[in-house]
Every structure is written in structure tokens, then in C-alpha cells.
Amino acid sequence: MVSSNLFCAFLAGEIETLIRQTGPVAKVVLLILLVFSLFSWAIIVAKWGRFRRARVQSGRFLRAFRKALRLQDMAAVAEQFRPSPLVSVFEGAYVEYRRQVGNPTGTVKNPVAVQRAAQIASSEELTRLERRLPWLATTGAVTPFIGLFGTVWGIIDAFHGLGTAGAATLRAVAPGISEALITTAAGLFAAIPAVIAYNQFGSTIREFGARMDDFTMELLNAVERPTERGGPESR
């Protein structure tokens, strides 16, 4: 444990030294990469927390929905499961359901309209879940090239200094090249977590989309069974 801490401290000191020795262009590149990385990590942490809460509340919401005897009962308690995207799907369909059962016969005249309302709410929820994910995709695609630009510029500067000094030795050019390569490392450091998180979150969103589609079918079954799940005959 002590040796690991010493190694981390040594590595941090070496990186700090390299950053201090880089030129102004490399420092600007590193600053840009830092901004990309900070924004990406902020999105990653926020999305991870939101998806975790949504997954937990979705399971609770489904259990409560399947136990409820009437849709009205579920509508009264749906708000407490709000982090779940299934709540919005239910509420969108329930508004249309109540609009139809308000007629004198008290029956659902157009179940397809209820399904469309649920699908619209599902689409809106998917849009909200995907918000800010394009930033992760942009970070994963752009930052390696930004880092490479800093490296290329640093190597050009190193060889220019070599030509000016007239000392054509590896010892003379190696420090400049090693300083330049730090921007490539920084670009990869910003890109790799963003790409991993983007792919993982994309898979999670597809999972939520499938769950909302399944719940829409289950909700339609409940709407078409008024005597069991909240129609006028059950009240």
C-alpha cells in the first residue's frame, strides 16, 4: 500500500513537471482536454445516478401496478415512483383513458388512442434519458485528435529547436518529444471513459425503451379489462 502511494506520488510529480515544461500551445490543448474531461465526468456521474434510481423505481412501480385493483388507485400513488420513466408512460395513457371513460357509457371507445398516448410519453422519456449523451460521443471522437494535434505541434517545435541548436542527437530531441506526447495521453484519458460510458448508457436506454414498450402492452391489457382494473363496473 505504501509503495503504491509512493508510485502514484512519483507519477503525479513527473506529470506535473512535464506539464510545466510544455509550450503555450500544448498548455492550451491540455486546458481544452481538461474541460472536455470535467464535463464528461459530470455527465457520467449524473447519468449513472439517475439510471440507477430509475431502474430501482421501475421495479417498484411494476410491482405496485400489478397489485393495484384499479387504475385510479395506481394513479393516486404513481408520483412516488417519479424517477421511473414508466410513470410518465402510465400518466400519458391514463389521461387518455380518463378522457374516454368520461362518456355516458363509461367504456374505452378507442384503445388505440390510449396506446398512442403511451407511445408518445415513451418517446418523450427516451429523449430525456438521451439528453447530454451526445457530449460523451463528441468527447470520445474529438479529444484523441485534439491531443494528437498537441503532440504534432510539440514534435515540430522540438525538431525546430534541434535544427536551431545544431545538435542532432537523441539526447537533445528526446525531452521535447516526451513533453509533446503528454497531450496524446491526455486526449486518450478524456476519450476512453467517455466512450465506455456512452456505450453503457446507450445499452441502458435501450433496456428502458424495451421495458416501456412491454409496460404499454401490459397497460392496454388492463384498460381492456374494466371490470378487473379500474373501469366503471369495478367502482
Side-chain angles (χ1 to χ4, degrees), residues 50 54 57-58 61 74-75 77-96 114-129 212-213 215-216 219:
R50 180 179 180 184
Q57 293 293 354
S58 293
F61 176 82
M74 194 64 224
V77 299
E79 186 64 28
Q80 65 183 343
F81 305 101
R82 175 55 60 185
S84 170
L86 301 182
V87 174
S88 295
V89 176
F90 172 80
E91 290 178 342
Y94 185 72
V95 169
E96 178 62 29
V114 177
Q115 181 179 8
R116 284 197 295 264
Q119 289 174 339
I120 291 172
S122 176
S123 178
E124 292 174 349
E125 277 299 308
L126 286 176
T127 300
R128 278 192 284 269
L129 291 173
M212 285 187 284
D213 290 341
F215 175 70
T216 298
L219 180 59

Side-chain angles (χ1 to χ4, degrees), residues 36-84:
F36 269 96
S37 183
L38 290 177
F39 272 101
S40 296
W41 277 106
I43 294 171
I44 290 170
V45 172
K47 286 291 185 182
W48 181 83
R50 180 179 180 184
F51 289 163
R52 182 178 61 84
R53 292 190 299 270
R55 185 177 288 109
V56 172
Q57 293 293 354
S58 293
R60 294 175 178 173
F61 176 82
L62 281 176
R63 288 192 294 271
F65 176 79
R66 289 163 183 167
K67 291 178 181 178
L69 297 178
R70 302 186 307 170
L71 294 180
Q72 292 91 329
D73 297 336
M74 194 64 224
V77 299
E79 186 64 28
Q80 65 183 343
F81 305 101
R82 175 55 60 185
S84 170

Side-chain angles (χ1 to χ4, degrees), residues 109-146:
K109 296 186 297 182
N110 188 4
V112 176
V114 177
Q115 181 179 8
R116 284 197 295 264
Q119 289 174 339
I120 291 172
S122 176
S123 178
E124 292 174 349
E125 277 299 308
L126 286 176
T127 300
R128 278 192 284 269
L129 291 173
E130 292 171 350
R131 191 171 299 162
R132 296 189 179 90
L133 286 189
W135 178 268
L136 296 181
T138 301
T139 299
V142 170
T143 51
F145 293 101
I146 296 176

